[in-house]
Amino acid sequence: MTTPQAEIVALCDADPARMQTARQNFAIPDSAIYTDINRCIVESKPDLVILCPATAHHADFVEKVAKHDVAILVEKPFAASLAEADRMIAATRDRMLIINWPLAWYPPHITTKRLIDEGAIGEVIEVHYYDGNRGPLYHRADKIEVEQDAALAEKAGSWWYSKAAGGGSLLDYLGYGVTLASWFMNGRAPIEVTTTTDTREGLEVDEHSVTVARYATGLSKFETRWGAFSDPWLTQPQPKCGFVVVGTEGTIASYDYETTISMQTRARPAIHTVPVDTIAAPYRNPVEYVLHCMETGEAIKGPLDPRLSRIGQQIVDSAMLSASEKRTVRLLP
C-alpha cells in the first residue's frame, strides 16, 4: 500500500548489492544511495528512518541513528535480547521509537482486539498462536518467490541461519505471537515460560519452536515454524497461521490474511463468522500511522509501543533461556 504523504529520500546499506531490488522497485536515483548511515541522514534530512538490519544489530543501529533528530521505526523483531531492547529504549528517550510488527496491521487481528476491548468475550485468559512460513529464503521483499533449490543453497551463507546474527524461527516469529498476545491481554505478562526447539542437523538455529507461558489466568501456547507446508499469504497451511483467543465469555479464531474471524459467546455458543473490519486511514500501515502520530503528537499505541514490545521481548528471552537449559524458567525481569 502506498502512502502519498511519504517520500523516500534515501536508501542506505554498507553493501550496495543489498539495495538493488528496493532501488529498482522504487526508482531511487544514484544521488539518494548511501553506504554510510551518518552521511545519509545528514545529507537527505529524513523525518523518519526505517531500520531493517539483522536482528543482532538492531541496538547498534538505533544508537547510531538516535544521535540525529529523527523518528526511528525498527522492523520486527524488537531485538536479539532484552538487554539490547533496553539499549534501544535508553538511546531514544527523547526520540520516537516504533517497533513494527506487520501482524498488527492485519484486519482480522485488529478486529479481534476491538471485540476484546468491547467485552465481547469477557476477560482474555488464553492465547494460542501458530505462525511462520515455508522459510525466510523462499521469498524476497514484497513476497517475491524464490525457487526451492535456490532457497536451500542460500542457507549456509544467510544471516537468517546464523546464531550470532539472531537467526532462527523462534526469534523471527515468537515476538509476533507474544507481543500481540500481550496486546490482547492489555499488557499482562506471564509468570513462567517453558520452551522446546527443533534444530536440524547441520544448522545453527531452530526451524520450529513451541513455547508454553503460564499466566495467572492459565496456560497459553506459542508455536513458530519455518517449514510450514505453504506460505500463509498464498495458501493457509494446516495448522492455520494466526491466533485463537479464549475469554471468560467466548472465543475468537483470528487467522492471518482471512476476511472473517470465527467467534462464539455464551449468548451465541455456536461458532459463527464475523466479517473483519475495514481499516481506515491512518491505521492501515506503519508509515501512515507513524506520520499521523508525528503530525498530531498522538502517542504510539499497541504492539508498536516499545513498552508493550518489551513485554514480548521478556517472553522471548525467557523462551531462549528455557530452550537452552531445557527447563521451565521464571519470566526474566
Side-chain angles (χ1 to χ4, degrees):
M1 179 182 293
T2 58
T3 306
Q5 66 269 42
E7 175 189 2
I8 299 173
V9 295
L11 294 179
C12 182
D13 195 299
D15 181 358
R18 287 197 293 251
M19 293 184 278
Q20 193 58 34
T21 300
R23 186 176 181 174
Q24 293 173 345
N25 286 349
F26 299 107
I28 307 298
D30 291 348
S31 59
I33 301 296
Y34 293 86
T35 56
D36 179 271
I37 194 166
N38 288 306
R39 182 183 170 203
C40 174
I41 295 172
V42 169
E43 294 186 1
S44 65
K45 297 179 174 59
D47 300 301
L48 170 67
V49 172
I50 300 174
L51 292 175
C52 46
T55 306
H57 302 307
H58 281 193
D60 294 338
F61 275 92
V62 166
E63 287 173 340
K64 289 178 183 179
V65 175
K67 296 174 183 177
H68 303 272
D69 185 16
V70 293
I72 303 170
L73 185 150
V74 180
E75 283 295 335
K76 67 85 192 171
F78 194 160
S81 70
L82 187 60
E84 292 175 19
D86 285 340
R87 282 173 54 194
M88 294 162 67
I89 292 170
T92 55
R93 291 203 184 281
D94 58 350
R95 299 279 183 271
M96 182 181 286
L97 174 65
I98 309 101
I99 311 303
N100 183 43
W101 300 96
L103 284 190
W105 306 104
Y106 288 12
H109 309 327
I110 295 173
T111 305
T112 295
K113 175 59 174 170
R114 175 181 63 77
L115 290 168
I116 290 169
D117 288 348
E118 291 173 357
I121 61 170
E123 179 190 5
V124 174
I125 56 175
E126 302 172 29
V127 177
H128 301 274
Y129 164 83
Y130 178 94
D131 223 316
N133 52 54
R134 286 186 298 158
L137 303 178
Y138 282 86
H139 38 82
R140 300 283 186 258
D142 297 325
K143 302 295 192 282
I144 298 170
E145 287 198 71
V146 175
E147 292 296 328
Q148 179 165 319
D149 289 347
L152 292 175
E154 286 188 37
K155 277 190 178 184
S158 171
W159 79 263
W160 289 101
Y161 284 86
S162 165
K163 189 173 183 178
S169 83
L170 190 157
L171 280 178
D172 188 25
Y173 268 97
L174 182 58
Y176 273 125
V178 295
T179 302
L180 266 73
S182 301
W183 185 41
F184 294 151
M185 291 184 170
N186 291 321
R188 192 184 316 138
I191 299 163
E192 61 185 25
V193 173
T194 309
T195 299
T196 186
T197 59
D198 181 49
T199 302
R200 302 277 92 180
E201 185 176 352
L203 299 180
E204 293 184 9
V205 297
D206 73 279
E207 292 188 302
H208 196 179
S209 78
V210 177
T211 294
V212 176
R214 183 170 71 85
Y215 291 80
T217 55
L219 302 179
S220 291
K221 181 175 84 280
F222 306 95
E223 187 168 358
T224 70
R225 185 71 170 108
W226 285 351
F229 192 79
S230 57
D231 290 319
W233 51 86
L234 296 175
T235 303
Q236 269 282 15
Q238 296 185 124
K240 283 187 173 185
C241 290
F243 296 85
V244 175
V245 183
V246 180
T248 54
E249 302 298 321
T251 70
I252 296 173
S254 180
Y255 296 116
D256 302 351
Y257 302 100
E258 298 200 351
T259 57
T260 62
I261 62 169
S262 297
M263 186 172 176
Q264 61 179 166
T265 65
R266 295 204 186 280
R268 190 177 176 185
I271 294 175
H272 54 281
T273 58
V274 176
V276 302
D277 294 347
T278 299
I279 311 304
Y283 304 105
R284 299 172 298 179
N285 65 65
V287 173
E288 178 181 82
Y289 173 63
V290 171
L291 292 181
H292 164 77
C293 291
M294 292 171 66
E295 291 167 359
T296 63
E298 182 179 313
I300 297 293
K301 297 177 182 176
L304 278 71
D305 181 350
R307 292 172 298 178
L308 187 67
S309 283
R310 190 186 186 278
I311 298 171
Q313 190 69 50
Q314 286 178 271
I315 302 172
V316 170
D317 274 39
S318 301
M320 293 289 287
L321 178 62
S322 172
S324 173
E325 298 190 354
K326 300 186 185 302
R327 65 179 180 90
T328 297
V329 302
R330 300 285 294 186
L331 183 73
L332 294 174

